[in-house]
Amino acid sequence: MFGARPGPSPRRVAVRSTAVGLAACLFVAACTSSSGVTQESSDSTPATAGSTTEPSDNTATSGDPSTTTDPPNTDGASISIAPPDPEGLPALSDIDPAITSGTLDNGLQYFIRRNDNPGARVEMRLSIDAGSALQTPDQGGGAHFLEHMLFNGTEQFPENELVAVLRSFGASFGADINAYTSYDETVYQLTMPTADPSIVSTGLDVLQQWLSAATIDGDQVVAERGVVLDEWRSSSQSVNGRVFDEIQRFFLDASPYENRKPIGTDAEIIATTDGPLRAFYDDWYRPDNAAVVVVGDIDVTDMERQILERFEPATARGDSPERIDLVVEPATDARALVFDDPDVSEGFAFVTLPLARDLSRPREEVVQRDIYQALAFDIIGTRLSNDALRGDAPFDDASVGGSGFVRLLDAPEIFVSADGAELEASTQAVLDEYERIRRYGFTQSEVDRAVAARRSAAQVDYDGRDSRQDASYADEYVRHVLEGESLPTADRWFDYVTEVLDRATPETLAYMFVARYEVAAPHIFVTAPADEIGDVPAAEVFVAQAEGAADRKIEPRPDEAAIGDSLLIPPDPVDPIDATQLAEGTVVSFLAPGLLIFENGVRVAFNTTPITDGVVAFEGRSPGGSTMLEDSAVAAAEVAATVVENSGVGSFDPVAIEAFLADKEVALDATIDVFTEGLNGFAATTDLETLFQLIHLVMTEPRVDPVSFEQYIDNELPLAEDPSINPNYARFKALTEARYTDPRYQLLGVDELTSVEPAQVEAVFRDRFGDASDWAFSFNGDFDIDEAIELARTYLGTLPATGRVEPVDYVEPPAPTGAIVETTQAGEGDQASVTFLFTGDGTTDRTDDVVARLLQQIITARLTDVIREELGESYSPSAAVELTGGATPLAETFLSISTGPDLVDDVSAAVLGQVEDLRASGVTDSEYAAAISTIGNELELFSNQQLNDEILDVLTDPAGNASLAEFENQAALIDEISQSDLDDAIDRWLAADDYIEIRVLPR
């Protein structure tokens, strides 16, 4: 990966996902409890304190650098420091006049904005300034459980009628889609079409009912326990949940948040009744503790009238307790915790400098200091990351993180991953770097690079201000209500950030870091796989590291070498040999791509769109992939893309390329799949030439860095050696091995990983990417066509080519016949899953693509209604229906359901029962209508990545995608698809006796 990682391509060719990184899931209710062995050491106990909630008005007490009056002590080291100067900064207090806002007599706040991105849509939010931290002892898990109950009945929408109403106008419904509950707040969200004004009005009715008219029926509460319990299993019983449970205890014990995890405990969930839920609802769901946000393609005056009409009558129902501010006062002495878990695949640690967040100063000063703090940690993270990239560190990588997962906890940190035996040296390296900053500060060149990177990001945001999406505005307004985030105009915010960055100096950044470092006691969290925990010292050793940091001999760092302003000398441009038009923009106005063809065989499509201002999305693709390789080279192909991405390019090693791209908004990813090799990414419009240069160098001068290669192998081996440490990995491994015998579709084993060599990896990459003869590229977004053509002439038309054109039919192996049921054991804890794969014959008719989306919506809704809502046995059942490529595509239907180990048989039978019912009885009228509404809305939306994908489907798989006309007209196809068409697809794609079922049970 070069630069920031872009989003995934929308259409599947051959996907293999093996990532097992730590998910910071405890921000919301899908996070929780613990197991394992913990060692903790500290010289003090965190204290509790309470004081602030509205950032603009109140104060959190602490030794925050914002409250430091004396200059930080640098013990005579060669460092110059100076506090930031906030005088004269552009004001942030004035609210953007494009926002219509107000406060009703009952205290409810509202924010309305007209916006036409994406257009014909509206985003609605209801925020409640209360989360799990405000629960009473008998309400454990109640704030989150209540969130569930608001979908199970209100006075206007009894029982599950609300879900039916949401689906009827195309709103999505499912796990983590419509609401979230955190320690501090609960937020509900709706996305709806605006063509029918009555639908928009119904959306406001739903918000009003959620605020004031929930029924909270006792029988419904009992029925919902199983659903919430499965959500608890999927979070707290996973390795991520267990690790993060220890992290949140580490920071929150002895604070107002102690033992108030949003999800609650399994015992609390099982014991939940309607009484405590009703009490929490009546206390906190009241107008003076709520806000309504509406952003989209609406009439603001009419929307304000409707909000007043619905919400002015709202009154408080309970005791209206004061919404006090909850402050975490971190320990004042160093603390450490060592935690091991049998499912952790790689050791990691982080060193945090936590403080209670101080919001007492003017907003302009608070934000300035936040920006400078972030810059300081960016520089520290870059220093340590560069050490890892060079192989000069005990850790594999380093990055900036944060554990501020409650509102007034400010906890920046440096995160490192390492083998268990290297964790002690890794945390020492982080502490040494903290101490080095205290003594010697930052250099001008690294401050310049960090500021340039932030300035570049700010410029991209500003350039995209006129295409900002509804949801982005809506979420910002919620943060304003709950956290005091400012709401200036885009111009004012850009001016403010520019001025703050202009004032950043080595002295001001050093001041911010040193002031924090002197008052914040380091909190060190360490975890490692069970078989490596013996190499990790006790927690007291890490505490001693922190306490002894000031006594260590530490030298200043030499300044990094300057980086040039260009990746390469541009080749002499060549002229295309032909040009044509792929579409005329008559159906979709902004889909009119022109195609250039060069003598080397390269084809380049350019299409300007208004989707996102200031950004260009890109994809390149070539038929071939690993299907053109010998079996012995498949492992190298699987390794190649990731290793090359992390190895630098041309004359730039990994450190140099990171430094060169630091102030540019560019990302480039490489992939080698079964049937294709590809590149995809994006760039700010102003950085488009850099993207072209990267493409050229990746294809002509790739590198395989030995450190990057070893780190990749080291990261993958634990899973290959023991797939049972990760249930998702084990499930995917079992599924692919049951479906395929070809190693190109399977995960790499230990023998493949340990036998692959760097030279083989480079050879495979050069073979797949070094001949541009049959490559096609597509660029969609905001750019000047003439400039882009000149870049293509220079960097793509000059790519080396031999005339090699590889015929690929995109035909996957036939699926095995019969019902194949496999059981695998993976993971600790009380969690299980059931996954099905049905494979049938599809067609190249575009109607099948739309039918697949409709069936995916219908099956997901059916599983949600029956398994989640009726049986109460799964939190997040889901379906995915996908078509493969080529002239004879397959239709693959994946069904996935999480549940408890003792419920696997029941869930399996229920799923197969619903599939059989669909075959026997077909799709119901209500299911058909809801799916048509939802998918019809989705087909009206486009992304630049989607357009790239469709263009390249036509250019690289013409047998499966004859022309863009089919894509252009697919929205009209939905009106031609009948229920009988869906029933026919079910018969073709969901065979009664041919499927693969994978059951994952705990070890």
Side-chain angles (χ1 to χ4, degrees):
M1 180 271 296
F2 302 93
R5 183 169 295 276
S9 174
R11 182 141 186 184
R12 186 188 74 90
V13 178
V15 178
R16 277 180 276 196
S17 177
T18 62
V20 291
L22 177 66
C25 56
L26 256 165
F27 283 92
V28 294
C31 333
T32 52
S33 111
S34 78
S35 65
V37 179
T38 302
Q39 302 173 12
E40 185 170 358
S41 180
S42 172
D43 293 332
S44 68
T45 303
T48 61
S51 136
T52 44
T53 194
E54 290 297 331
S56 58
D57 301 327
N58 303 309
T59 305
T61 58
S62 77
D64 189 291
S66 296
T67 63
T68 300
T69 56
D70 296 326
N73 178 17
T74 58
D75 293 339
S78 56
I79 178 175
S80 176
I81 61 175
D85 178 14
E87 292 300 320
L89 287 172
L92 297 177
S93 55
D94 294 337
I95 291 181
D96 186 344
I99 304 169
T100 296
S101 62
T103 302
L104 304 182
D105 290 342
N106 56 19
L108 183 132
Q109 299 179 71
Y110 63 87
F111 298 82
I112 311 169
R113 184 187 188 110
R114 177 171 176 78
N115 190 54
D116 60 356
N117 293 301
R121 299 289 185 278
V122 64
E123 292 283 339
M124 294 185 178
R125 303 287 187 270
L126 172 68
S127 70
I128 305 296
D129 191 13
S132 61
L134 297 177
Q135 296 164 172
T136 58
D138 65 335
Q139 293 172 344
H144 168 249
F145 204 120
L146 177 63
E147 172 210 308
H148 278 244
M149 294 309 301
L150 264 62
F151 292 89
N152 284 342
T154 68
E155 293 173 5
Q156 184 176 342
F157 306 104
E159 297 187 348
N160 287 327
E161 184 179 325
L162 176 57
V163 174
V165 168
L166 294 177
R167 287 177 179 156
S168 71
F169 51 70
S172 298
F173 171 75
D176 303 323
I177 293 175
N178 303 101
Y180 73 85
T181 301
S182 74
Y183 284 102
D184 294 299
E185 71 255 4
T186 308
V187 177
Y188 299 85
Q189 48 204 34
L190 293 175
T191 305
M192 292 162 295
T194 57
D196 183 349
S198 67
I199 289 178
V200 180
S201 297
T202 300
L204 288 177
D205 289 339
V206 171
L207 299 190
Q208 182 274 329
Q209 290 283 294
W210 278 337
L211 177 64
S212 302
T215 51
I216 315 179
D217 178 77
D219 291 338
Q220 291 282 341
V221 171
V222 173
E224 192 70 13
R225 289 173 181 168
V227 174
V228 182
L229 191 62
D230 189 64
E231 184 178 355
W232 170 83
R233 289 191 201 100
S234 66
S235 58
S236 69
Q237 294 297 284
S238 69
V239 61
N240 291 343
R242 293 192 297 270
V243 171
F244 207 86
D245 186 60
E246 291 299 323
I247 294 172
Q248 60 93 26
R249 287 183 179 179
F250 187 47
F251 286 100
L252 300 183
D253 274 4
S255 82
Y257 296 94
E258 183 178 8
N259 295 327
R260 285 178 169 83
K261 295 173 293 185
I263 190 68
T265 66
D266 55 340
E268 288 171 334
I269 293 166
I270 293 170
T272 298
T273 59
D274 57 305
L277 297 185
R278 168 61 66 181
F280 188 91
Y281 182 68
D282 288 344
D283 279 347
W284 299 111
Y285 282 61
R286 60 181 200 258
D288 66 313
N289 200 47
V292 172
V293 173
V294 181
V295 180
D297 196 357
I298 44 91
D299 181 286
V300 171
T301 301
D302 180 64
M303 191 56 51
E304 185 175 32
R305 177 191 61 79
Q306 293 196 53
I307 288 175
L308 268 59
E309 181 181 277
R310 285 166 174 78
F311 291 95
E312 276 188 327
T315 59
R317 299 173 304 278
D319 296 332
S320 297
E322 179 186 1
R323 176 54 167 102
I324 62 171
D325 306 314
L326 305 174
V327 177
V328 179
E329 289 287 359
T332 56
D333 292 312
R335 301 180 68 213
L337 186 148
V338 176
F339 174 70
D340 72 282
D341 187 281
D343 293 342
V344 170
S345 62
E346 183 179 22
F348 68 84
F350 53 82
V351 183
T352 311
L353 300 178
L355 294 170
R357 185 154 170 75
D358 178 10
L359 300 169
S360 61
R361 294 173 180 264
R363 188 67 182 169
E364 293 77 12
E365 185 174 353
V366 169
V367 177
Q368 179 191 33
R369 288 174 177 248
D370 286 345
I371 291 173
Y372 288 172
Q373 174 182 277
L375 287 170
F377 273 87
D378 283 348
I379 294 171
I380 298 169
T382 297
R383 287 182 176 186
L384 294 171
S385 177
N386 287 349
D387 290 345
L389 290 171
R390 295 188 182 101
D392 294 336
F395 43 83
D396 293 334
D397 56 67
S399 60
V400 180
S403 291
F405 41 80
V406 296
R407 194 175 290 172
L408 293 177
L409 175 61
D410 183 15
E413 62 204 14
I414 296 295
F415 179 101
V416 292
S417 61
D419 294 335
E422 300 292 344
L423 284 168
E424 181 181 358
S426 297
T427 55
Q428 185 66 68
V430 175
L431 289 164
D432 284 350
E433 205 58 47
Y434 288 171
E435 182 64 21
R436 196 185 323 274
I437 301 299
R438 188 185 72 83
R439 299 183 197 180
Y440 306 109
F442 303 106
T443 68
Q444 185 65 57
S445 61
E446 60 189 358
V447 171
D448 289 344
R449 284 193 287 267
V451 166
R454 293 278 171 159
R455 198 185 301 279
S456 174
Q459 185 68 56
V460 170
D461 286 343
Y462 182 70
D463 290 345
R465 63 195 180 280
D466 292 332
S467 58
R468 189 174 176 187
Q469 299 294 297
D470 297 341
S472 176
Y473 279 120
D475 293 339
E476 179 186 31
Y477 302 165
V478 169
R479 294 194 300 272
H480 169 75
V481 172
L482 298 174
E483 302 173 17
E485 184 171 313
S486 303
L487 299 179
T489 64
D491 288 337
R492 175 56 61 87
W493 175 247
F494 182 72
D495 290 344
Y496 173 86
V497 172
T498 299
E499 180 65 23
V500 167
L501 293 176
D502 287 345
R503 299 186 187 188
T505 66
E507 292 77 19
T508 55
L509 300 195
Y511 181 94
M512 289 304 301
F513 179 81
V514 174
R516 170 179 292 274
Y517 184 59
E518 288 194 344
V519 296
H523 283 47
I524 304 171
F525 182 91
V526 181
T527 188
D531 61 352
E532 297 180 6
I533 199 66
D535 297 324
V536 179
E540 290 80 2
V541 173
F542 295 98
V543 170
Q545 283 183 339
E547 292 175 339
D551 299 326
R552 289 177 59 80
K553 182 178 180 180
I554 297 173
E555 298 296 329
R557 277 182 178 260
D559 204 358
E560 293 282 354
I563 300 297
D565 57 4
S566 179
L567 288 171
L568 76 162
I569 299 173
D572 293 332
V574 298
D575 291 328
I577 61 173
D578 197 6
T580 187
Q581 200 73 21
L582 295 177
E584 301 296 334
T586 55
V587 180
V588 179
S589 62
F590 50 81
L591 182 58
L595 181 70
L596 300 181
I597 303 171
F598 290 93
E599 189 172 4
N600 61 358
V602 167
R603 293 163 293 166
V604 187
F606 292 116
N607 184 56
T608 59
T609 74
I611 296 173
T612 305
D613 293 341
V615 176
V616 183
F618 144 80
E619 186 179 351
R621 193 185 301 169
S622 165
S626 60
T627 193
M628 293 296 169
L629 301 174
E630 298 292 334
D631 286 358
S632 59
V634 169
E638 177 67 16
V639 171
T642 302
V643 170
V644 170
E645 287 172 6
N646 293 316
S647 294
V649 64
S651 62
F652 289 74
D653 66 17
V655 174
I657 195 65
E658 290 291 323
F660 180 84
L661 297 177
D663 64 344
K664 300 171 181 65
E665 296 298 310
V666 176
L668 181 64
D669 239 346
T671 59
I672 300 178
D673 290 322
V674 176
F675 298 115
T676 64
E677 47 272 341
L679 298 167
N680 66 83
F682 66 88
T685 303
T686 52
D687 293 321
L688 188 56
E689 182 165 11
T690 299
L691 176 61
F692 274 86
Q693 291 180 339
L694 275 176
I695 295 167
H696 187 94
L697 283 176
V698 166
M699 297 183 69
T700 60
E701 298 183 50
R703 296 169 59 108
V704 173
D705 179 74
V707 174
S708 297
F709 175 80
E710 290 300 330
Q711 287 179 352
Y712 177 90
I713 301 300
D714 186 57
N715 290 340
E716 295 296 319
L717 267 177
L719 290 165
E721 291 170 340
D722 183 9
S724 72
I725 63 177
N726 185 278
N728 290 329
Y729 185 96
R731 175 177 59 179
F732 192 78
K733 177 178 171 64
L735 181 63
T736 54
E737 291 179 353
R739 170 64 177 88
Y740 304 103
T741 58
D742 190 327
R744 290 162 181 79
Y745 295 89
Q746 297 177 351
L747 299 170
L748 297 183
V750 174
D751 290 343
E752 291 89 352
L753 285 170
T754 55
S755 63
V756 69
E757 295 290 339
Q760 186 184 22
V761 170
E762 182 174 350
V764 166
F765 192 92
R766 287 183 177 274
D767 175 70
R768 293 295 85 209
F769 290 83
D771 189 334
S773 304
D774 58 359
W775 273 77
F777 299 88
S778 177
F779 296 82
N780 273 266
D782 177 16
F783 57 91
D784 181 88
I785 285 286
D786 291 336
E787 292 179 7
I789 289 174
E790 189 64 21
L791 293 173
R793 293 178 59 227
T794 304
Y795 298 107
L796 302 184
T798 56
L799 288 169
T802 66
R804 179 184 74 178
V805 176
E806 296 177 318
V808 174
D809 59 13
Y810 297 92
V811 175
E812 291 196 6
T817 58
I820 299 173
V821 181
E822 302 283 353
T823 299
T824 187
Q825 292 181 312
E828 300 287 327
D830 185 33
Q831 61 171 341
S833 67
V834 183
T835 300
F836 291 88
L837 170 61
F838 294 85
T839 305
D841 294 328
T843 73
T844 59
D845 190 328
R846 192 75 191 195
T847 302
D848 265 10
D849 291 80
V850 181
V851 167
R853 295 178 68 165
L854 290 166
L855 283 183
Q856 176 173 308
Q857 183 70 24
I858 288 167
I859 297 171
T860 297
R862 175 76 71 98
L863 294 180
T864 298
D865 290 345
V866 173
I867 295 177
R868 173 177 170 161
E869 301 299 337
E870 293 183 16
L871 301 181
E873 292 185 351
S874 179
Y875 168 59
S876 54
S878 63
V881 184
E882 301 173 338
L883 292 166
T884 62
T888 57
L890 297 176
E892 298 179 328
T893 302
F894 300 85
L895 310 178
S896 179
I897 308 93
S898 59
T899 188
D902 57 334
L903 300 173
V904 165
D905 289 339
D906 292 343
V907 167
S908 174
V911 172
L912 291 174
Q914 289 308 306
V915 172
E916 176 57 34
D917 182 69
L918 282 169
R919 279 194 297 264
S921 304
V923 173
T924 68
D925 292 346
S926 60
E927 288 174 329
Y928 172 77
I932 290 290
S933 179
T934 298
I935 302 305
N937 289 335
E938 291 179 0
L939 290 176
E940 296 174 357
L941 303 176
F942 300 90
S943 71
N944 288 320
Q945 292 87 346
Q946 175 194 26
L947 298 181
N948 281 329
D949 190 66
E950 294 290 346
I951 289 168
L952 291 181
D953 280 346
V954 171
L955 294 177
T956 63
D957 181 19
N961 303 269
S963 74
L964 280 177
E966 295 180 347
F967 167 67
E968 287 183 290
N969 292 285
Q970 69 174 355
L973 291 176
I974 199 165
D975 296 328
E976 303 173 6
I977 296 172
S978 65
Q979 285 178 250
S980 62
D981 292 327
L982 299 181
D983 295 341
D984 175 66
I986 290 170
D987 291 336
R988 288 187 289 129
W989 297 348
L990 296 172
D993 300 317
D994 294 326
Y995 60 85
I996 297 171
E997 177 182 354
I998 304 297
R999 300 180 174 195
V1000 181
L1001 300 172
R1003 290 186 297 218

